[in-house]
Amino acid sequence: MKLNPGQNEAVNYISGPCLVLAGAGSGKTRVITNKIAYLVRQCDVPARYIAAVTFTNKAAREMKERVGQTLGKKEARGLKVSTFHTLGLNIIKSEVKTLGIKPGFSLFDDKDSLALLKDLTATELDGDKELLNLLQSRISSWKNDLILPENLAKTSLSASDAEFAEFYQRYHNNLRAYNALDFDDLILLPTLLLKSNETVRQKWQMKIRYLLVDEYQDTNTSQYELVRLLAGERARFTVVGDDDQSIYSWRGARPQNLVLLQKDFPSLRVIKLEQNYRSSGRILHCANILIQNNPHVFEKRLFSELSYGEPLKVIIAKNEEHEAERVVAEMLAHKFMNATHFKDYAILYRGNFQSRVFEKFLMSNRIPYKISGGMSFFGRTEVKDIMAYLRLLVNQDDDNALLRVINTPTRGIGRVSLEKLGNLANKNKLSMFAAAFDAQLQEHVSGKALVSIEQFSRWIVELSDQVHRGDGIATVRDMIKTMGYEEWLYETSTSPKAAEMAMGNISTLFGWISDMLEGTELDPPMSLQEVVNRLILRDMMERGEDQDESDQVQLMTLHASKGLEFPYVFMVGMEEGLLPHKSSIEEDNIDEERRLAYVGITRAQRNLFFTLVKERRQFGELINPEPSRFLYELPQDDVLWEHKKNKDSADVRQQKGQVGIANLRNMLAKK
């Protein structure tokens, strides 16, 4: 497919900093992949000096595949396509000595971090879930703003923040004692290192001679700073983003980074991609009119060469039950008249709680559906168990991993024995694994528990030695065989089938580990330590991603829908208090809610339906919500409100009837 003028300009401009303002559905991924090919083939930049960075593993995989198809394996060799966090991990691995980290560090996911915070604040917070989640979020915000605990000590804080700062210091100290990093450290540490160490900074600027960043509007402070430091004075980079799709301020994203870029790089070239290849002209016209109500630094208007399309329809229901009933009825009628598939339809909502009633009516009508954000592969118990074993294998200081597996399968080591082991470790300032070899342990633990702890610890040491000798695949295979996990699964699972499926998941995991240890033409072999960290990172990045392509109606939040497209979209709950959300109204953050509505509208390719209710139950009370202000901001000539709908003429009714009969005949013929 030929590039349009805007895409062509974005691909060919390489002499300075470049911002590509890519509207929804404007082919930004094509621009990035074509630009990489242009740099390699036309500008003689070897692929190993090019890095493309995005936010999800899925996007990185797709980009890598498309570049591979364009360039071929030989030309693409050495190309770095990754998430921000994988790039950060690679910098940390390369600079462990400078950072003062031991090579065999562990990665803590959000659950590990929360468990550690719970343990460290047991006296003060007493396991209060709400406060712990708030603390975790606060620490994450500080790290995203490049603030270390010692920096906080120098600033004046409120009483609650002062206490949280103390917890942050404890958490920081314990992570270092465990030789562990959390998710936010993967950006924080490399950014601070590049900022403070000129030698390291110059080294990485030479390694990455051209940088491309996707979804730039979603960058936070630390990610922006990382980009700026890697780009350096040469400023050979292209960032692609859309300020109208910036909907993640709650997790630190700063759309103002687009403005900051212009200040930091005055020679910045701004190129707009305004042609949309996804949606009908009418859907785009409505989206443009809506988003014009937001302030803009960079103006743009999407256009399409597709047909103008049908009006956007507003369905008004009595209550939530009636809303779900109407959506299902509308979908079934539409599917029948247009001979479509269930996977062509998406139901988008502001909050997850809205899905329940739609699930109920979809199930009662035997309509297959899928809710985005189900359990990931790495969320399964058996996979988490094996991953914990591997974490312990490469880092014996990882207490969280030890606690998970030391009695899985059952080895006769009870809670009391583990508590005594933990107390000894704390007293002597050791990891729990090191405490297992301490001569004093015999004074606290005896009998079968002592023997089991000693046997388990020796077994881990033997496996660890085997890893160091270089045969990672054989070690992992031996570990799975000798740990007795399969037998234990068949004893404890609800059915033999469940045990079989769990072992199937372990087999899949082993296959991935083997592939990564052996390497491919494009990816060099990894050590077991690297494999473990890469898989932990993959788990954190891929939660909520679903590769299932079966024929199911898609249910998801508006936030989760970003980057996706569907022929037919239902945006439900279009009411004040839901969209825009009540909290955003109170905080005067309507602009971001409008961007969220814009994202929802631009997911639709052919038809878009809005629904709202006259009566909704909220916190046990019945309320009568007003229609969302965003509905009134749309051009009303393009919107068909149900109560204003004109009746079809006799000719139109006859035409619809003929289409219906034709579709019915086709369905019967297929049977």
Side-chain angles (χ1 to χ4, degrees), residues 190-227:
T191 306
L192 291 178
L193 179 63
L194 293 175
K195 202 171 184 176
S196 62
N197 192 314
E198 191 179 348
T199 309
V200 174
R201 186 165 65 248
Q202 286 179 353
K203 173 184 158 184
W204 280 91
Q205 286 172 357
M206 285 304 293
K207 276 190 174 192
I208 300 174
R209 298 181 192 178
Y210 202 95
L211 180 64
L212 300 106
V213 183
D214 192 16
E215 302 288 5
Y216 182 73
Q217 76 283 345
D218 293 337
T219 53
N220 58 32
T221 302
S222 56
Q223 287 161 337
Y224 173 79
E225 194 64 15
L226 185 60
V227 169

Side-chain angles (χ1 to χ4, degrees), residues 283-326:
I283 289 170
L284 289 183
H285 177 59
C286 289
N288 284 331
I289 297 291
L290 174 74
I291 207 66
Q292 272 180 8
N293 291 288
N294 274 7
H296 285 86
V297 176
F298 307 104
E299 292 293 336
K300 68 175 185 307
R301 280 182 78 84
L302 296 181
F303 68 93
S304 172
E305 291 181 355
L306 303 173
S307 65
Y308 197 60
E310 295 179 33
L312 282 58
K313 190 174 175 183
V314 180
I315 298 168
I316 302 170
K318 291 179 240 172
N319 52 38
E320 301 102 308
E321 295 263 323
H322 189 223
E323 180 183 38
E325 190 182 343
R326 290 292 315 276

Side-chain angles (χ1 to χ4, degrees), residues 221-267:
T221 302
S222 56
Q223 287 161 337
Y224 173 79
E225 194 64 15
L226 185 60
V227 169
R228 194 181 67 78
L229 291 162
L230 286 170
E233 288 178 16
R234 288 172 65 245
R236 296 287 190 268
F237 67 80
T238 295
V239 301
V240 183
D242 182 5
D243 50 345
D244 291 331
Q245 295 189 74
S246 181
I247 56 174
Y248 297 119
S249 67
W250 48 277
R251 65 182 192 204
R254 289 168 55 91
Q256 54 268 49
N257 284 345
L258 291 162
V259 182
L260 200 56
L261 202 65
Q262 217 169 23
K263 288 179 183 170
D264 285 339
F265 300 95
S267 62

Side-chain angles (χ1 to χ4, degrees), residues 126-245:
D126 194 26
D128 186 308
K129 281 185 182 176
E130 201 171 311
L131 283 173
L132 282 166
N133 285 326
L134 187 64
L135 172 61
Q136 190 175 34
S137 171
R138 196 78 187 89
I139 290 172
S140 181
S141 294
W142 279 325
K143 288 192 176 191
N144 288 339
D145 288 337
L146 300 173
I147 301 169
L148 290 169
E150 52 264 36
N151 305 129
L152 280 174
K154 300 166 193 170
T155 57
S156 56
L157 299 166
S158 65
S160 60
D161 267 1
E163 188 179 38
F164 275 17
E166 163 61 24
F167 298 153
Y168 179 18
Q169 184 70 65
R170 288 183 207 172
Y171 174 70
H172 176 82
N173 294 345
N174 272 266
L175 278 182
R176 295 299 168 268
Y178 291 161
N179 197 33
L181 306 177
D182 68 15
F183 195 52
D184 296 311
D185 285 331
L186 299 182
I187 308 292
L188 171 78
L189 294 182
T191 306
L192 291 178
L193 179 63
L194 293 175
K195 202 171 184 176
S196 62
N197 192 314
E198 191 179 348
T199 309
V200 174
R201 186 165 65 248
Q202 286 179 353
K203 173 184 158 184
W204 280 91
Q205 286 172 357
M206 285 304 293
K207 276 190 174 192
I208 300 174
R209 298 181 192 178
Y210 202 95
L211 180 64
L212 300 106
V213 183
D214 192 16
E215 302 288 5
Y216 182 73
Q217 76 283 345
D218 293 337
T219 53
N220 58 32
T221 302
S222 56
Q223 287 161 337
Y224 173 79
E225 194 64 15
L226 185 60
V227 169
R228 194 181 67 78
L229 291 162
L230 286 170
E233 288 178 16
R234 288 172 65 245
R236 296 287 190 268
F237 67 80
T238 295
V239 301
V240 183
D242 182 5
D243 50 345
D244 291 331
Q245 295 189 74

